[in-house]
């Protein structure tokens, strides 16, 4: 399956008033190689194993599987880098679903918004809370944020 997403810095907290849902997320990586990423995520009381291929522009292969929470927790000692904790807000805006992540811990204060698209050239309206696009900036990839030096 292809993942096509664009990512933006968030410039106001108005997304909170528009949110239709929110989740607490804890995630870590088993591999952060730029050509293959393996992530474990616990979202509220569900766990997922995700494999992502290399990124080409704003596209990459992505495969995600639900796993038992106990299995996810048993993989925590295998983490490559730090654990990322964040609150995710889901916002419906102009016919698209936006995911807004408020990071906690060492990245407290960082807030990013992502939109997943059906195609790289799909048109969409930018919400007022979205600022500078950082889709191509590896510093804002979650796998980079897991780097102990970031």
């Amino acid at each position: 399956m292809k993942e096509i997403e664009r990512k933006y810095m968030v410039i106001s907290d108005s997304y909170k008033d528009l949110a239709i849902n929110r989740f607490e997320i804890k995630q870590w990586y088993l591999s952060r190689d730029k050509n293959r990423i393996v992530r474990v995520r616990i979202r509220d009381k569900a766990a997922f194993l995700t494999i992502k291929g290399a990124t080409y522009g704003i596209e990459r292969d992505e495969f995600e599987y639900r796993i038992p929470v106990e299995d996810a927790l048993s993989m925590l000692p295998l983490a490559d880098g730090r654990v990322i904790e964040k609150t995710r807000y889901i916002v419906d805006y102009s016919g698209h679903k936006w995911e807004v992540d408020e990071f906690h811990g060492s990245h407290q204060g960082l807030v990013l918004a992502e939109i997943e698209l059906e195609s790289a050239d799909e048109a969409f309206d930018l919400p007022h809370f979205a600022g500078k696009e950082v889709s191509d900036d590896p510093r804002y990839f979650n796998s980079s944020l897991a780097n102990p030096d970031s």
Side-chain angles (χ1 to χ4, degrees):
M1 174 177 191
K2 288 281 184 207
E3 174 187 59
I4 303 169
E5 67 181 18
R6 294 179 69 175
K7 187 179 292 198
Y8 297 84
M9 299 293 292
V10 171
I11 56 175
S12 82
D13 66 355
S14 61
Y15 61 89
K16 291 181 181 180
D17 295 330
L18 301 172
I20 59 170
N21 208 344
R22 73 178 249 183
F23 304 101
E24 297 303 320
I25 294 174
K26 180 185 272 192
Q27 67 186 42
W28 57 93
Y29 294 85
L30 304 179
S31 171
R32 293 184 298 128
D33 181 281
K34 68 178 184 174
N35 294 312
R36 72 193 62 75
I37 292 173
V38 180
R39 178 187 72 206
V40 178
R41 173 181 282 169
I42 298 175
R43 185 185 73 207
D44 290 337
K45 296 182 193 258
F48 303 88
L49 181 67
T50 305
I51 299 129
K52 297 184 180 199
T55 300
Y56 299 100
I58 59 171
E59 297 183 41
R60 66 178 161 187
D61 290 324
E62 178 183 67
F63 306 92
E64 186 168 79
Y65 307 95
R66 192 170 183 146
I67 61 173
V69 172
E70 299 78 25
D71 288 0
L73 291 170
S74 71
M75 294 181 212
L76 187 53
L78 303 174
D80 176 20
R82 73 174 77 174
V83 174
I84 295 173
E85 295 186 58
K86 58 189 178 180
T87 302
R88 171 166 288 169
Y89 295 83
I90 307 300
V91 175
D92 278 333
Y93 184 82
S94 192
H96 285 91
K97 182 171 76 170
W98 287 79
E99 298 176 339
V100 180
D101 290 341
E102 284 183 355
F103 290 84
H104 307 298
S106 61
H107 296 296
Q108 186 75 34
L110 177 62
V111 185
L112 298 172
E114 294 180 358
I115 182 172
E116 289 200 18
L117 304 168
E118 295 295 320
S119 67
D121 59 354
E122 181 178 346
F124 61 92
D125 294 326
L126 198 62
H128 52 279
F129 57 79
K132 177 184 174 190
E133 182 170 8
V134 293
S135 301
D136 295 328
D137 190 336
R139 294 177 300 169
Y140 297 102
F141 296 172
N142 279 274
S143 57
S144 295
L145 295 174
N147 186 340
D149 299 328
S150 69

